[in-house]
Amino acid sequence: MAFFYAMVLVGIAGLISVLRLILGPTVPDRVVGVDTLNTLVVAGMVLLGAAYDRTIYIDIAIVYALLSYIGTLVIAKYLQGGLA
Amino acid sequence: MNYVEVLIYVFLGISVTFNLLGSFALLRFPDVYTRLHGATKCTTFGTIFAVFAVVTHALYQLHRTGDSKYLQMALHSFIALIALLLTNPTGAHAIAKAAHLSGVKPVRAVVDAYEEKLGGGSE
């Protein structure tokens, strides 16, 4: 049960980073918010997989980590002006 | 409550504390670079300890019940930790470089060495 409560607190931290995503004055601020949210979602998936005894959640966390990294790199390349 | 459960609770406490501190850093710091610094470091450290708690729990259950699905759970969460440790600093570096090149300046900065390097190259 401790894993489930820890996952709820990590979800609250994720909601705070969504707040930065909504407020952020510039575009890189919003990208930082999305990057933090991705890391917190991976932590929450691993904790939820331990709470419910399902290994498949942890497998999906691996795929989510790699794909969100590619998304962050593509947005950063777009911001700095093309594939230079 | 034995020693292994106390260890799991300590790991979960460290993890939740650092994740919450990282997202508060995202709200309280003044510009992009300091926000990136606080959020990336704290959430990476917190996620390392979340995975440590899950690995400890899975190895303890494997020792207690002998079910091989707990070995799979420990190995896969360790692979998730390695993927996160390889990709998170690289992504943060790419975001910082892209923010500087797209024209966002650091607030209240006295020295901007990257700007001097870029200006010295062109002039």
Side-chain angles (χ1 to χ4, degrees), chain B residues 7-28:
Chain B
L7 192 64
I8 291 172
Y9 284 139
V10 168
F11 281 162
L12 283 180
I14 293 173
S15 161
V16 165
T17 307
F18 273 87
N19 279 332
L20 282 172
L21 279 180
S23 54
F24 274 118
L26 207 57
L27 280 188
R28 295 289 298 163

Side-chain angles (χ1 to χ4, degrees), chain A residues 8-21 23 29 32-33 36-37 40, chain B residues 15-32 34-43:
Chain A
V8 169
L9 288 174
V10 170
I12 291 172
L15 285 183
I16 294 173
S17 67
V18 169
L19 209 59
R20 173 52 64 199
L21 183 65
L23 292 176
D29 276 320
V32 172
T36 309
L37 185 62
L40 291 176
Chain B
S15 161
V16 165
T17 307
F18 273 87
N19 279 332
L20 282 172
L21 279 180
S23 54
F24 274 118
L26 207 57
L27 280 188
R28 295 289 298 163
F29 275 157
D31 66 341
V32 180
T34 48
R35 276 172 198 151
L36 192 63
H37 163 84
T40 305
K41 274 185 188 174
C42 286
T43 53

Side-chain angles (χ1 to χ4, degrees), chain B residues 72-94:
Chain B
Q72 189 188 4
M73 180 183 286
L75 283 179
H76 285 202
S77 49
F78 199 70
I79 291 172
L81 176 64
I82 288 175
L84 210 65
L85 282 184
L86 285 179
T87 60
N88 231 342
T90 323
H93 180 87

Side-chain angles (χ1 to χ4, degrees), chain B residues 97-109:
Chain B
K97 189 183 174 191
H100 197 285
L101 286 179
S102 72
V104 178
K105 296 299 175 221
V107 178
R108 291 184 303 225

